[in-house]
Amino acid sequence: MKAKREHQVPLCGRALEILDDARALGDGNPLVFPMRSGKPISPSTLVKMFQKLRLPVVPHCFRSSFRDWAAEKTDHPREVVEAALAHVVQNEVEAAYARSDLFDRRQLMADWTEYLNGEVPT
C-alpha cells in the first residue's frame, strides 16, 4: 500500500467464501492469488489481463467506481468511505483528532455487495 500501513477491510460473506475456495485450491501459500513462482503478482498483472481480455478498464476504475457510488447513492459518511479506500487524512490538525480506523464499516461494505449483486435500486 502507498500509505505503508496496515489496512483492514471487513469482508462480506461471499468474499469470505471465495477466499476459502481459493485457499482450498492453493498450495498453502498465504497469498490469495500468487504468481506461479509463489511470489505476489506484479502491479502490472491486472493491467495486462484487462488488455488481453480487451476490457477498456484499469484497476483504479474499481476504486473510482466505489467512491462514485458511495458519494452518489449512499448516506455513508465521507470519512468512512475514505477509510474504506485507505485514504489518509491530509490535514494535520484533523488527523491528530481522527484516531479511529473506522473499521466498523461493515454496513458500507454490505451495501456495496448488494449494489454489485443488483439487489439495490440504482
Side-chain angles (χ1 to χ4, degrees):
M1 300 221 9
K2 286 190 257 182
K4 304 282 190 230
R5 63 185 171 85
E6 184 176 291
H7 177 63
Q8 297 180 348
V9 179
L11 299 176
C12 67
R14 182 63 185 129
L16 293 172
E17 290 172 13
I18 291 168
L19 290 173
D20 285 341
D21 291 346
R23 188 176 295 116
L25 294 172
D27 60 2
N29 187 322
L31 299 174
V32 178
F33 303 110
M35 292 187 345
R36 289 184 188 137
S37 66
K39 296 179 182 178
I41 60 174
S42 74
S44 64
T45 300
L46 285 176
V47 173
K48 290 177 184 174
M49 180 186 74
F50 293 148
Q51 288 172 346
K52 185 175 182 178
L53 295 172
R54 296 185 180 169
L55 296 173
V57 297
V58 294
H60 199 266
C61 288
F62 297 111
R63 294 174 57 84
S64 178
S65 295
F66 171 79
R67 186 65 187 90
D68 290 346
W69 163 82
E72 296 174 3
K73 305 290 184 182
T74 79
D75 294 331
H76 292 284
R78 182 183 188 283
E79 296 82 6
V80 172
V81 174
E82 292 298 308
L85 291 165
H87 290 167
V88 178
V89 176
Q90 296 296 319
N91 180 292
E92 290 182 23
V93 175
E94 186 180 345
Y97 292 96
R99 296 184 183 168
S100 171
D101 66 358
L102 299 169
F103 183 73
D104 196 14
R105 47 191 180 267
R106 288 176 185 85
Q107 190 59 53
L108 170 64
M109 304 317 292
D111 291 350
W112 177 238
T113 300
E114 289 178 1
Y115 174 75
L116 292 177
N117 286 333
E119 298 170 13
V120 175
T122 57

